[in-house]
Amino acid sequence: MTSSSPEAHLIERIEAGDRQAEDLLVERFGRGVALVLDRHSSWRGEVDDLFQETFRVAIEKLRRGELRDPEKLGAFLAQIARYLSLDAARKQIRRKTEPDAERVEREIAPRGNPLSDLLERENTRLVRRVLAELDNDRDREVLFRFYLAEEDRREIARDLGLDNLQLNRVLYRARKRYQTLYQERLSGSRPMPPAPHEGRSHRTLLLGLVSLLATLAQVVQPW
Amino acid sequence: MDHALIEEDALLELYAQGRLDPEVEEELEAHLVGCATCQEELIAVRGLARGVRRVASEEAARLVVQAGIASRLRRTFSGPGRWGWIAAAALVVFGALAATYAARMASENRELRAIVAAQGPGEGTGDAEGARTPPETPGDQSERDRLAALERSLPAAVGTVVLLTEVRGADDTPPSVERATVGGPFALAVYILDDPRFSSYRMEVVDEDGRIAWQRSGVTPNAFEALMATFTPEFFPPGKYQLRISGLPDGGEAEPLESYPFEVR
């Protein structure tokens, strides 16, 4: 990377005290930093706080010229975000409060807000559509076992007689289909179809439930 | 980090679940922060994962709601006579269901696939996976018979489950209960994600004039995040109703959460 690369130019401007460049830094890397923070933080409010703190620390360091290789700007920001998240987690442990995985999920998809509730329902319909469009029950089982039961990929692959590549292809296809439907939904290019389960037979639903309960059993083990 | 590697090793899926080795995770994050494509992919992974969990929760809630009705039937029709026998039969059916599922859950996935395959000849994996299904055993035949009996019995035994959802506009018709055809107790159920602010919830049915037709406090979501109440068909006169859900914090005032319209005809 030369000094004329966008990152190098951005850093030079920040070192020179250019406030617009600081805004540009947040604009360009904000979503990535938020995703990293979200991965390491336990609740949404904490992410918001750490987001501010990450860029405050990063900008101070950049002003002082502490980042020597502009090519490492992404890694630099990710490292600060991760460090702050871990530090916050350590403080939380000292306060003897346990991170709550359920809370994380609720904070990622907060309730009590009609818009977010609506978005969650739309998301669920999208996923129902993706599940209905999968080629076969085996692929649905892959998704349930991977995303719901969070089973190890190798175990899933072994049980279903797949190799890792085949399993990853199932995950990849499902994700791509979800992305396509999501983008179509965002652009409003086509109306949302009815939830597929509404038209499915009782027998098919029962089959799905048997498969589903098997995965649930490994998560909640209610019996 | 190379996009091909990220795809081939499903790194974003594993990252979202926190299952990457620390070194790989650090490397991926360094890339992710500046890569809009991977950010989009990760957002999709998370949305898909969240949706799968919610679909599973909703489907499981339906099953649990049905099982709850069996329990209600037992209490309602505990005396001797025809209804008592029907309720007992329903309980036997659900006992078989619970036993079957519990056994299956404890067993290996290969056994599970055998049952699924046995349940749905012609609707199996649809590819070479069928060849990997273990040979059928007498136990599988027995399980198949029990599940088949259960499947035939379910609609008659459990009556009607009305899973209420929010109504979004004039085109969205609220669910209805047909008193003449419901044929027995019916359940009103709502899907709810438990909120840590509340120790329990209040379910309240109000009629068109805002009068409280029924109320119960201290309700908590079951294991699959459903609130449920069961009624006899005669309980509600024909009309339009709202099921209101409020959160009940410890020592605080009830906080209205959701309202679900339904109609009794």
Side-chain angles (χ1 to χ4, degrees), chain A residues 16-34:
Chain A
D18 183 343
R19 291 301 174 95
Q20 284 185 335
E22 294 172 4
D23 292 342
L24 194 59
L25 179 79
V26 177
E27 185 182 321
R28 179 157 177 205
F29 293 95
R31 187 171 67 169
V33 166

Side-chain angles (χ1 to χ4, degrees), chain A residues 32 47 66 71 76 83 92 95 100 102 115 135 141 151 163 171 185-186 195 202 204 206 217:
Chain A
V47 170
E66 292 186 19
E71 196 177 353
F76 171 77
Y83 173 80
Q92 196 173 37
R95 289 198 298 267
D100 181 347
E102 291 297 320
L115 177 60
D135 289 341
E141 185 176 346
E151 284 187 60
D163 59 35
L171 297 175
R185 189 67 186 141
L186 278 184
H202 174 67
T204 306
L206 189 64

Side-chain angles (χ1 to χ4, degrees), chain A residues 161-179:
Chain A
L162 302 170
D163 59 35
N164 258 348
L165 193 59
Q166 288 172 312
L167 185 98
N168 289 343
R169 276 192 196 132
V170 174
L171 297 175
Y172 177 80
R173 282 200 303 268
R175 192 210 319 160
K176 284 298 173 189
R177 184 61 188 140
Y178 172 85
Q179 275 185 301

Side-chain angles (χ1 to χ4, degrees), chain A residues 170-208:
Chain A
V170 174
L171 297 175
Y172 177 80
R173 282 200 303 268
R175 192 210 319 160
K176 284 298 173 189
R177 184 61 188 140
Y178 172 85
Q179 275 185 301
T180 302
L181 291 172
Y182 184 77
Q183 290 301 330
E184 286 176 354
R185 189 67 186 141
L186 278 184
S187 64
S189 60
R190 79 179 210 182
M192 191 65 193
H197 80 282
E198 291 169 5
R200 295 174 71 182
S201 68
H202 174 67
R203 185 186 188 201
T204 306
L205 180 60
L206 189 64
L207 288 172

Side-chain angles (χ1 to χ4, degrees), chain A residues 51-66:
Chain A
F51 184 87
Q52 302 291 334
E53 185 66 3
T54 298
F55 280 102
R56 188 190 66 76
V57 171
I59 288 168
E60 282 184 5
K61 285 177 174 287
L62 290 173
R63 282 178 186 161
R64 293 196 296 265
E66 292 186 19

